[in-house]
Structures are given as structure tokens and as C-alpha cells.
Amino acid sequence: FLDYGAGRGRVLVAAARFPFKRVTGVELSPELAGQARENLSRDMSRRRCSEVELVVEDALSFEVPDDVTVAHFFNPFTGPTFKAVIGRLLDSLDRAPRPLRVIYNYPVEHEFMASTGRMRLIDTLPSNWLSVISEPAERIEIYRALPAGR
């Protein structure tokens, strides 16, 4: 499990309660990363994942591990940065084909995701957002990433 823009670690804490092989957060801010580490340490007794790490690094330079199966974004960045990070995820998928899901909260870059031809929208929460919700902040999209040529 890989969380981009880990912030104070709320998603990392939740993910570590599931039996992932490894949970990794990427956070640019050392201050937020420090708070995330404190939050993670307070929740150790509830973890089902034994390997939890927080990397203080720019997402653009972070090397995506070739075994990531779930990537999470809570709209940590947009535009060229988002596009480059998605490109790095897809490069990793091409090096090591595997099931890869992308969970995207506040999906302001949905049009870009669709335009790649490699991100298939498989679910939207809430499922009736088109008729009820006009703001992307009020939905979560889940994509299946496809290796090149598929």
C-alpha cells in the first residue's frame, strides 16, 4: 500500500490495520511526517501490517516499488506533478506486471486518468454521485491500472 501525500498519517494508520505486506507513505513536509510518525506509533497495537514506513521525499523523485498493489491519493497535488507521478506508477507496472488499484479521493484529475487509456474506472463512491454530487471533493474513484499494451 502506497499513500502519496501522507500528511499526518491518517490513511497510513488505517491501512496498517489491514494485512498488507508493506505500507508506505510519501510526504514532502518533515513536520507533517513527524506528526504521522507519532500517530503511527500510538496505533502499533492495532496493526496487522508489520512493515510500515514513512518517506520524507518529493513524490517526483520517489522510486515506486515494483510490488505496490494499491496506491492512494487524497488530491496531494495536481497538474504536471500528478501526471508525472501517475507515469512513474505505470512505469513500475510495466516493469513488474501485477494487479494495481488506484484509490483517488477528490479526483480533480479524473479527465487525465481517463485520457491515459490505462486507468479503468471500476468504482465510484458514492455510486450515485452523478445525480447527487457536483463537486469532486465528495467522491472517491477507484481505478484498475493496466500494463502497457492492454
Side-chain angles (χ1 to χ4, degrees):
F1 186 95
L2 176 58
D3 182 28
Y4 282 100
R8 293 182 177 92
R10 189 171 91 183
V11 170
L12 294 176
V13 167
R17 293 178 182 177
F18 289 88
F20 288 107
K21 177 182 173 187
R22 179 177 61 246
V23 170
T24 302
V26 179
E27 176 54 53
L28 182 61
S29 165
E31 294 80 20
L32 289 175
Q35 292 174 21
R37 285 189 179 97
E38 289 174 20
N39 290 332
L40 284 163
S41 68
R42 280 195 284 268
D43 198 64
M44 287 189 74
S45 65
R46 299 179 72 183
R47 286 187 192 171
R48 291 176 65 194
C49 176
S50 60
E51 189 177 339
V52 179
E53 64 180 337
L54 187 61
V55 179
V56 179
E57 188 173 340
D58 188 322
L60 289 172
S61 59
F62 179 74
E63 187 66 35
V64 178
D66 288 344
D67 62 349
V68 170
T69 57
V70 178
H72 176 263
F73 296 82
F74 196 117
N75 194 32
F77 32 74
T78 59
T81 300
F82 184 82
K83 292 172 183 175
V85 169
I86 292 298
R88 292 180 70 97
L89 269 174
L90 293 173
D91 289 345
S92 169
L93 182 61
D94 294 342
R95 286 190 304 271
R98 64 198 181 272
L100 174 60
R101 302 291 187 261
V102 176
I103 302 169
Y104 189 15
N105 292 62
Y106 199 96
V108 297
E109 294 283 358
H110 168 76
E111 294 303 319
F112 166 73
M113 296 289 272
S115 76
T116 67
R118 298 186 59 194
M119 293 289 181
R120 294 287 155 72
L121 184 63
I122 58 174
D123 204 357
T124 302
L125 306 169
S127 59
N128 62 345
W129 73 269
L130 283 174
S131 62
V132 181
I133 297 169
S134 61
E135 292 297 317
E138 300 177 42
R139 70 180 189 268
I140 301 168
E141 295 182 343
I142 303 170
Y143 299 86
R144 179 171 49 113
L146 304 172
R150 291 180 101 191

